Amino acid sequence: MTEHSVAIKKLVGLVDHKNLLDNGHTLKQLVHTVTASIQSLQAPVYFTLRAYGGWYSGNSITDERYEAITYYQDYCPTVLKTEAGLVRLSLQFADELAVSQERKAKVPITHTVNVRGSSEIKITKSLTDKCHASGCELTEVRKWVRKKTACGASHCGHQFSDFFQRQEQKQVDVHLALDLVWLAARESSDTAIVVVSDDIDILPAIIQASLQNPKRLLLHVRSATRRPTYQDALLSDLGIQQAIM
């Protein structure tokens, strides 16, 4: 058989949950995009979704996790009919490394949300740049950003962190990348690995997985809003399929 000519019976989807929702996509759209992109599917197809995100603040479950549970309960049917045939769906939250599936000692991944009190805004344009819109307050906003106070009033004595917090995901990209490389090496030949993310941080892991196992069918799903990257040509040369939602 030639590369990627094996009939695909199973799909493992590694989904950056925030990327999926931030671009307004649904799971139904994702499933139809994936099944339309892989020509060698053999129905019924078993599609396991692993959802990655900021599920834990310390050891405590975050609101984002509860919102994601509701989202998947509402939009993750057990069976979905596509042009390629029936697709049976199952969901996993990526709460541990995928390698834990073959190890007696599980490796949980927590502390995936970090809180910053700083606004972390940088002024990159010259202060001489002007906005000509009527009533523009660009100059005052710049002053507020430089001061890092809670509001734009000149007499404000409160810091930004007194009233606002900035949350950011931690470990999520690395966790997804490690699982990708491990699963691409371990899964059976009739399983395709689907990576759903706009984050270019994941590209080296996709390339690594392909180089380690050239016969593994890898599909990278991204949104139409993501700009082309310097690695896109290499992904194509390696036979990594790409799909746009």
Side-chain angles (χ1 to χ4, degrees):
M1 289 186 179
T2 60
E3 286 190 5
H4 302 165
S5 63
V6 175
I8 300 299
K9 301 177 183 179
K10 297 188 296 181
L11 302 169
V12 177
L14 311 182
V15 181
D16 186 328
H17 179 75
K18 189 174 182 180
N19 275 179
L20 182 72
L21 293 186
D22 281 353
N23 288 293
H25 299 306
T26 66
L27 281 176
K28 186 175 181 180
Q29 288 176 312
L30 171 62
V31 173
H32 281 283
T33 297
V34 170
T35 55
S37 302
I38 301 176
Q39 303 301 316
S40 54
L41 288 177
Q42 181 176 311
V45 178
Y46 295 86
F47 196 170
T48 301
L49 295 163
R50 280 179 60 83
Y52 297 77
W55 306 143
Y56 292 92
S57 177
N59 290 311
S60 300
I61 294 177
T62 61
D63 290 341
E64 183 179 347
R65 169 65 171 262
Y66 287 115
E67 292 168 1
I69 291 172
T70 300
Y71 173 83
Y72 287 114
Q73 286 177 339
D74 291 343
Y75 298 105
C76 188
T78 304
V79 179
L80 187 64
K81 186 176 181 180
T82 71
E83 292 184 359
L86 292 180
V87 178
R88 299 186 181 275
L89 296 169
S90 62
L91 173 69
Q92 302 173 355
F93 280 94
D95 292 334
E96 57 191 36
L97 290 174
V99 69
S100 297
Q101 298 172 4
E102 286 193 3
R103 300 291 187 271
K104 294 181 179 179
K106 293 185 177 181
V107 184
I109 303 296
T110 59
H111 298 69
T112 51
V113 173
N114 186 44
V115 176
R116 287 188 176 182
S118 172
S119 61
E120 294 293 327
I121 300 174
K122 293 183 179 179
I123 300 175
T124 59
K125 293 291 185 179
S126 169
L127 294 180
T128 60
D129 292 342
K130 302 293 183 183
C131 173
H132 300 291
S134 176
C136 175
E137 297 184 356
L138 179 59
T139 300
E140 296 303 317
V141 171
R142 280 172 166 159
K143 291 180 181 179
W144 168 64
V145 170
R146 287 200 305 272
K147 290 170 61 180
K148 297 185 178 181
T149 53
C151 74
S154 60
H155 58 277
C156 179
H158 297 288
Q159 295 298 306
F160 183 91
S161 58
D162 294 337
F163 292 90
F164 303 101
Q165 289 182 339
R166 178 193 174 198
Q167 290 190 340
E168 60 181 2
Q169 292 186 167
K170 304 297 291 184
Q171 306 182 84
V172 174
D173 293 332
V174 175
H175 182 186
L176 194 158
L178 291 173
D179 284 357
L180 165 61
V181 173
W182 188 81
L183 289 168
R186 301 292 293 183
E187 287 288 341
S188 58
S189 60
D190 64 353
T191 301
I193 309 296
V194 181
V195 180
V196 185
S197 177
D198 278 346
D199 198 328
I200 66 171
D201 288 347
I202 200 65
L203 295 182
I206 297 176
I207 294 169
Q208 175 73 19
S210 178
L211 291 173
Q212 284 189 178
N213 188 355
K215 294 186 178 181
R216 166 74 58 217
L217 196 156
L218 297 176
L219 174 65
H220 180 208
V221 181
R222 59 181 178 84
S223 69
T225 57
R226 198 209 73 178
R227 296 179 180 179
T229 76
Y230 74 104
Q231 294 285 21
D232 289 346
L234 177 57
L235 295 176
S236 179
D237 290 343
L238 292 174
I240 298 167
Q241 298 186 28
Q242 300 184 66
I244 298 176
M245 286 204 298

